[in-house]
Amino acid sequence: MRKRNDTYQSVRDEREYGPYWYHALWRIIRPLLVLAASLLVVISVVASVWSKLYDEYLAPPDAANQAEVLFQVQSGQSLTRVANNLEAAGLIRNRTAFKYYCDFAGMGQKIQAGSYMLAPSMTMKEIAEQLTTGDGNPIVRNITLIPGWTIEEFAAKLVEDGVLADNAEFLSLCRSGTAFTDYYYIADVLASSNVAQRKYVLEGYLSPNTYEVYVTATAEDIIRKLLSQTDRVYPAEFQARAEELNMTMDEVITLASLIQKEAKDSDFAKTSAVFHNRLKKGMKLQSDVTIHYVTGVRKMSLTNADLALNSPYNTYQVTGLPLGPVCNPSKAAIQAALYPDETFLAENYLYFCAKDPESGELHFSRTLQEHEQAVSIYAPLWKEYDAQRGIQ
């Protein structure tokens, strides 16, 4: 039972200090209020610092000036150089801040060469995004040389795609080759005794691939790009192998061009073996594609007039390899020329002919009798193929 004095003290405490629940609540709220007040102070300080940093380093140089100025990024310029130029042009406040921003945003390696219209009112983000999007005027384009294409076919494609205005300069440079004697294999071709009879000195040496070239590239620029690739697809290993076979690089490229035009990739090594066997025996190669190169017409059924064409490229008339390559072969065809199928070599395969022209498959034979039997089977398909294409 509570004593009277205790009740009196409780009433007195409540009058002087308030109810107990209030004191308990205050003990909880007071630290929170202190924390909130501290955060407000910190936020205020941070905001003040950020505002100062933004105004000094990140803000547009002149938010009210929307007058655009021409700003150019040259090909190969580094991010540091671009940032320096932007600051010098009055388009950003601080070059270091711009550089760090681009690096942090992952834009550092994406800035594209071009001409841009920028204004001092633009934010750093807006400028960076425009420089990485590009000016809409590409400075490079892709060109593709398909394995088996001739120089004339490639020149026509360059004109068709708008890469070159016309093919005259390109064909002239490829025909003479004299502008490219710094490539040893072209110098070797030019030093040969029969170079004057070549249709194109550079035929066979424009390595097939897809290339990126400047839109301002000249015919010579493009040719040099392709010739340089030949260095990569004809390594020292190929040179050594050619010497084992007692062949020059030009002979290897020439043989590879026949293989490229005659066969599908899967038959390259077998076709190579047939040619190697015929060369070893001193037989004429009798390759139809050498006649196609002279006439410019792919005909499956050759006439007697075709076979009698007087040309150093016509392997029905000349013994051994033709005067030079008849197309630009792939690395796979070059490799096949150097490494013919060992089984076909050992079994002395000497003949092949096309099956259905649409399939590109070949029929291989050891003897002339086997070959003539195959020709009798497939010749009607060749004539039908020519007739459907309007070739006589």
Side-chain angles (χ1 to χ4, degrees):
M1 181 175 182
R2 179 182 292 182
K3 296 181 181 179
R4 184 173 180 275
N5 288 342
D6 292 340
T7 300
Y8 174 78
Q9 182 64 41
S10 176
V11 171
R12 183 179 177 181
D13 290 343
E14 287 187 11
R15 286 177 180 175
E16 292 184 8
Y17 305 108
Y20 288 113
W21 66 267
Y22 176 81
H23 291 290
L25 182 60
W26 176 250
R27 283 194 297 269
I28 295 173
I29 292 177
R30 185 174 182 277
L32 295 177
L33 291 175
V34 172
L35 177 61
S38 300
L39 288 175
L40 286 174
V41 172
V42 171
I43 291 171
S44 177
V45 171
V46 170
S48 177
V49 172
W50 167 253
S51 178
K52 184 176 181 179
L53 290 174
Y54 180 78
D55 291 341
E56 187 171 348
Y57 298 104
L58 306 177
D62 187 353
N65 185 0
Q66 297 183 1
E68 293 183 331
V69 297
L70 177 64
F71 182 79
Q72 292 186 321
V73 178
Q74 302 297 330
S75 177
Q77 280 188 336
S78 65
L79 174 60
T80 299
R81 175 56 63 86
V82 172
N84 290 346
N85 292 344
L86 285 169
E87 183 181 44
L91 293 167
I92 59 173
R93 289 182 178 271
N94 185 274
R95 59 192 177 188
T96 303
F98 181 81
K99 184 176 183 299
Y100 284 147
Y101 172 80
C102 288
D103 285 337
F104 180 78
M107 297 179 176
Q109 302 299 319
K110 297 180 181 179
I111 290 178
Q112 300 183 33
S115 300
Y116 301 88
M117 298 305 296
L118 306 176
S121 61
M122 295 176 67
T123 65
M124 189 179 294
K125 178 183 178 183
E126 290 171 337
I127 291 175
E129 287 179 347
Q130 189 160 332
L131 296 183
T132 54
T133 300
D135 63 357
N137 297 313
I139 63 169
V140 296
R141 71 173 85 205
N142 287 336
I143 59 173
T144 299
L145 175 59
I146 303 297
W149 277 7
T150 64
I151 280 174
E152 291 181 354
E153 288 174 316
F154 187 44
K157 183 62 174 175
L158 290 175
V159 174
E160 178 186 336
D161 290 348
V163 178
L164 297 176
D166 60 68
N167 63 12
E169 181 184 8
F170 186 90
L171 293 179
S172 177
L173 288 168
C174 290
R175 185 176 294 112
S176 70
T178 53
F180 308 100
T181 54
D182 47 322
Y183 295 91
Y184 74 90
Y185 35 87
I186 302 303
D188 288 346
V189 173
L190 287 170
S192 61
S193 58
N194 55 10
V195 65
Q197 294 178 279
R198 292 218 180 195
K199 191 173 181 181
Y200 293 98
V201 168
L202 301 190
E203 192 78 84
Y205 293 92
L206 303 187
S207 185
N209 211 324
T210 295
Y211 301 88
E212 186 178 82
V213 299
Y214 290 113
V215 295
T216 56
T218 64
E220 182 173 344
D221 293 333
I222 294 172
I223 292 170
R224 286 189 174 278
K225 188 95 171 180
L226 306 179
L227 289 176
S228 296
Q229 181 65 13
T230 300
D231 279 328
R232 302 183 182 92
V233 302
Y234 201 89
E237 171 197 339
F238 284 8
Q239 290 279 19
R241 174 60 175 169
E243 291 176 6
E244 289 178 13
L245 297 173
N246 197 28
M247 297 177 71
T248 66
M249 179 177 177
D250 192 56
E251 290 171 334
V252 172
I253 297 293
T254 299
L255 179 55
S257 73
L258 302 189
I259 295 168
Q260 183 76 60
K261 296 293 282 186
E262 289 280 16
K264 296 168 57 176
D265 289 21
S266 57
D267 284 336
F268 277 178
K270 296 176 183 178
T271 304
S272 177
V274 170
F275 284 138
H276 274 280
N277 284 336
R278 294 177 76 92
L279 288 169
K280 189 181 300 182
K281 288 181 175 292
M283 299 173 65
K284 289 183 172 64
L285 297 186
Q286 298 182 324
S287 172
D288 291 6
V289 300
T290 59
I291 294 178
H292 298 162
Y293 185 67
V294 176
T295 63
V297 179
R298 182 174 181 266
K299 183 189 295 186
M300 297 299 297
S301 294
L302 298 177
T303 63
N304 289 333
D306 293 326
L307 301 179
L309 280 172
N310 183 21
S311 169
Y313 285 96
N314 182 0
T315 54
Y316 282 88
Q317 295 297 317
V318 300
T319 300
L321 291 168
L323 177 61
V326 298
C327 73
N328 295 281
S330 63
K331 183 176 182 179
I334 296 172
Q335 185 164 357
L338 292 167
Y339 300 94
D341 184 280
E342 294 291 342
T343 300
F344 271 49
L345 280 178
E347 296 184 4
N348 200 33
Y349 276 84
L350 294 171
Y351 303 91
F352 63 82
C353 69
K355 294 183 179 180
D356 182 345
E358 295 291 350
S359 71
E361 294 180 1
L362 299 178
H363 183 279
F364 295 90
S365 303
R366 295 182 182 87
T367 67
L368 178 59
Q369 182 180 356
E370 292 172 353
H371 175 64
E372 290 177 339
Q373 184 177 359
V375 169
S376 67
I377 295 172
Y378 297 114
L381 298 178
W382 307 342
K383 293 179 180 179
E384 181 181 352
Y385 180 80
D386 287 345
Q388 289 175 348
R389 296 165 61 230
I391 296 175
Q392 300 295 327

